[in-house]
């Protein structure tokens, strides 16, 4: 009975194993029919060779060509603001007005003092005329008394007249001389009074002019044509020379762009002479990545190198129609400084940086991948100049680099920029 049961189990196991063996055999046959895995697909770009311009870029800060700071020259309350902030204003246009009443009162007082000084001058001149007349009279009187003395002197010697008459003549002459000297002193005094009165008139005139200047300072006008900035004080505030800048007016067309370069690069840029900088055509790349349509030109280099940073400031000028650009903006200043003849170019996205070295995956004629270490030059748009490591016409993997392994077979497709 036990033997019969064992025989029955063997038959059941055989029935179960036969379909499993047939299934496994079928899978093995299907796998063998599928063949080897297909090579991964990558996009490749040929190494291009052509002449390319060499560019340099610097970070630039925009500034007005002229920045006129509007400040109060007198103390007073701000009565009005007469311009729209951020608008274009003309030279001489009224921007702010300070309460002029205290200064008008000072002007009226100065004019009154001037009139008084002129009156004193006229009086001094009249006194001089009177003193000169008195001098002429006293000199005439002294002349007559001198004649009497001259006439009586020989007569007194001959005793033709009394001694009393002679003494009277002498005394009269002495008195006339004294009056003459007094008259001369009066003339000099009158002249001194005229000089003092002239000085008083000039002082009063200066006070009038100063008061008129102060009156003019109550009208804050723009000294230039330009864009007027935001007001830093409000109407009704008390302003004074110590209050700081009330607003600023800037000339923005053309606009300055200040940027710095290292001393060595500056020497390289000027190796052919100072005119090399003047020949540079500048481009301005704005903060949003767009290129400003107007080309700029070099204006000047600062007088010295900053000893702390070893850099020198350069300034370029850009036309700014419509005053689109404003002071304080940042941008990149770019200039072509030469040409690299026969440069080798590859897409930037084909390059992988690894611990300070640069590598690319190269696909040979048999579509096998090899890894190449490169020495790179400047960036040109979306391309990179290769200094060492590649030859013209070689193919580099620009898309799908992560799929490429050394010695791997790949399926190369042309690289299309922007995909």
């Amino acid at each position: 009975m036990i033997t019969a049961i064992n025989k029955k189990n063997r038959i059941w196991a055989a029935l179960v194993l036969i379909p499993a063996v047939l299934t496994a055999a079928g899978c093995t046959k299907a796998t063998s029919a599928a063949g080897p895995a297909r090579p991964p697909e990558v996009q490749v770009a040929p190494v291009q060779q052509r002449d390319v311009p060499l560019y340099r870029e610097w970070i630039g800060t925009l500034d007005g060509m002229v920045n006129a700071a509007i400040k109060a020259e007198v103390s007073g309350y701000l009565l009005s603001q007469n311009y729209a902030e951020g608008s274009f204003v003309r030279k001489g246009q009224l921007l702010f007005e300070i309460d002029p009443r205290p200064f008008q009162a000072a002007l009226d007082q100065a004019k009154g003092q001037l009139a008084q000084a002129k009156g004193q001058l006229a009086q001094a001149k009249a006194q001089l005329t009177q003193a000169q007349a008195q001098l002429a009279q006293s000199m005439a009187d002294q002349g007559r008394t001198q004649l009497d003395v001259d006439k009586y002197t020989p007569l007194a010697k001959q005793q033709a007249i009394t001694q009393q008459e002679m003494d009277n003549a002498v005394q009269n002459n002495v008195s006339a001389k004294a009056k003459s000297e007094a008259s001369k002193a009066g003339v000099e005094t009158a002249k001194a009074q005229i000089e003092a009165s002239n000085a008083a008139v000039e002082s009063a005139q200066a006070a009038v002019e100063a008061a008129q200047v102060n009156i003019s300072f109550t009208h804050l006008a723009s000294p230039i044509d330009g864009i007027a900035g935001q007001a830093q004080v409000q109407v009704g505030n008390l302003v004074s020379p110590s209050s700081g800048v009330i607003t600023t007016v800037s000339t923005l067309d053309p606009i300055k762009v200040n940027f710095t370069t290292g001393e060595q690069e500056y020497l390289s840029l000027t190796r052919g002479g100072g005119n090399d900088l003047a020949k540079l055509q500048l481009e301005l790349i704005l903060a949003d990545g767009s290129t400003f349509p107007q080309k700029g030109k070099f204006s000047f280099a600062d007088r010295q190198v900053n000893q702390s940073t070893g850099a020198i400031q350069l300034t370029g000028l850009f036309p700014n129609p419509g005053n689109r650009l404003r002071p304080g903006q940042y941008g990149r200043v770019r200039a072509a400084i030469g040409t690299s003849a026969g440069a080798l170019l590859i897409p930037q996205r084909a390059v992988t940086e690894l611990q300070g070295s640069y590598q690319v995956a190269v696909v040979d004629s048999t579509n096998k991948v090899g890894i190449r270490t490169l020495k790179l030059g400047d960036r040109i748009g979306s391309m990179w100049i290769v200094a060492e490591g590649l030859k013209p016409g070689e193919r580099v993997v620009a898309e799908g680099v992560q799929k490429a392994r050394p010695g791997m077979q790949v399926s190369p497709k042309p690289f299309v920029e922007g995909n």
Side-chain angles (χ1 to χ4, degrees):
M1 181 176 177
I2 295 173
T3 303
I5 293 173
N6 289 339
K7 184 177 181 180
K8 184 178 179 180
N9 289 338
R10 286 196 297 269
I11 294 173
W12 179 82
L15 292 175
V16 172
L17 290 174
I18 289 171
V21 171
L22 293 176
T23 302
C27 292
T28 303
K29 184 177 181 181
T31 303
S32 301
R38 297 174 61 182
E41 187 176 286
V42 296
Q43 295 185 17
V44 297
V47 178
Q48 303 178 27
Q49 185 175 30
R50 64 174 187 265
D51 296 344
V52 295
L54 297 178
Y55 288 94
R56 286 290 183 271
E57 284 190 0
W58 306 274
I59 300 300
T61 305
L62 278 64
D63 195 10
M65 188 66 182
V66 178
N67 299 305
I70 309 301
K71 300 178 66 175
E73 297 294 333
V74 294
S75 298
Y77 289 97
L78 204 62
L79 282 185
S80 63
Q81 177 179 328
N82 302 83
Y83 77 101
E85 295 170 325
S87 65
F88 183 83
V89 296
R90 292 290 183 184
K91 179 179 180 180
Q93 181 176 334
L94 181 64
L95 304 180
F96 299 95
E97 185 178 6
I98 298 173
D99 187 357
R101 291 175 297 176
F103 306 100
Q104 184 62 52
L107 175 60
D108 295 339
Q109 182 180 5
K111 287 182 177 179
Q113 292 174 345
L114 176 60
Q116 182 179 0
K118 288 182 176 179
Q120 292 174 346
L121 175 60
Q123 183 178 2
K125 288 181 177 180
Q127 290 174 348
L128 175 60
T129 302
Q130 183 180 1
Q132 288 174 335
Q134 291 176 348
L135 175 60
Q137 180 64 45
S138 61
M139 290 182 67
D141 293 342
Q142 195 270 326
R144 286 194 298 270
T145 57
Q146 184 64 47
L147 289 176
D148 290 341
V149 170
D150 293 340
K151 181 177 66 173
Y152 288 162
T153 299
L155 295 177
K157 290 181 179 179
Q158 298 174 3
Q159 296 183 353
I161 60 172
T162 65
Q163 186 61 40
Q164 183 65 41
E165 290 176 327
M166 182 62 196
D167 292 342
N168 290 338
V170 170
Q171 291 300 322
N172 290 336
N173 189 38
V174 170
S175 177
K177 285 181 179 181
K179 290 180 180 180
S180 179
E181 293 298 325
S183 297
K184 289 180 180 179
V187 169
E188 295 301 323
T189 300
K191 289 181 179 180
Q193 289 176 345
I194 288 177
E195 291 181 359
S197 298
N198 278 326
V201 168
E202 291 177 359
S203 177
Q205 183 66 49
V208 169
E209 292 174 359
Q212 288 173 336
V213 169
N214 287 337
I215 284 285
S216 67
F217 283 156
T218 62
H219 293 74
L220 304 182
S222 174
I224 58 173
D225 292 345
I227 300 296
Q230 181 180 2
Q232 302 301 310
V233 296
Q234 302 298 318
V235 173
N237 287 3
L238 179 64
V239 296
S240 68
S242 61
S243 299
V245 176
I246 297 179
T247 192
T248 301
V249 180
S250 297
T251 298
L252 302 183
D253 188 13
I255 193 168
K256 292 194 300 185
V257 180
N258 300 318
F259 55 97
T260 58
T261 183
E263 183 178 0
Q264 293 184 357
E265 187 173 40
Y266 172 74
L267 293 175
S268 176
L269 291 173
T270 57
R271 183 165 289 121
N275 290 332
D276 285 358
L277 287 173
K279 296 176 183 177
L280 294 180
Q281 187 177 58
L282 305 180
E283 296 180 351
L284 181 61
I285 303 172
L286 303 177
D288 61 357
S290 64
T291 300
F292 189 62
Q294 302 291 335
K295 305 296 183 182
K297 62 180 181 179
F298 172 77
S299 178
F300 70 92
D302 198 6
R303 55 173 290 274
Q304 67 178 12
V305 173
N306 188 313
Q307 295 181 353
S308 300
T309 63
I312 184 170
Q313 179 175 297
L314 307 180
T315 297
L317 295 180
F318 283 82
N320 188 25
N323 299 311
R324 177 189 174 195
L325 302 179
R326 298 299 175 101
Q329 285 184 264
Y330 286 92
R332 301 197 310 275
V333 179
R334 182 171 64 185
I337 62 171
T339 301
S340 177
L344 301 181
L345 301 172
I346 59 174
Q348 290 183 22
R349 63 193 304 168
V351 179
T352 301
E353 184 179 1
L354 181 63
Q355 295 181 349
S357 64
Y358 298 93
Q359 296 179 341
V360 292
V362 181
V363 179
D364 63 14
S365 58
T366 63
N367 295 337
K368 285 188 177 181
V369 175
I371 302 300
R372 200 84 57 83
T373 300
L374 306 179
K375 182 178 180 181
L376 299 177
D378 294 327
R379 297 174 188 259
I380 306 295
S382 62
M383 309 293 282
W384 214 325
I385 295 179
V386 179
E388 294 179 5
L390 289 174
K391 297 179 181 179
E394 288 188 300
R395 299 178 298 172
V396 297
V397 178
E399 187 66 41
V401 178
Q402 68 277 6
K403 305 176 186 177
R405 298 288 184 270
M408 177 184 289
Q409 193 86 17
V410 294
S411 175
K413 302 294 181 183
F415 170 67
V416 180
E417 184 74 29
N419 286 352

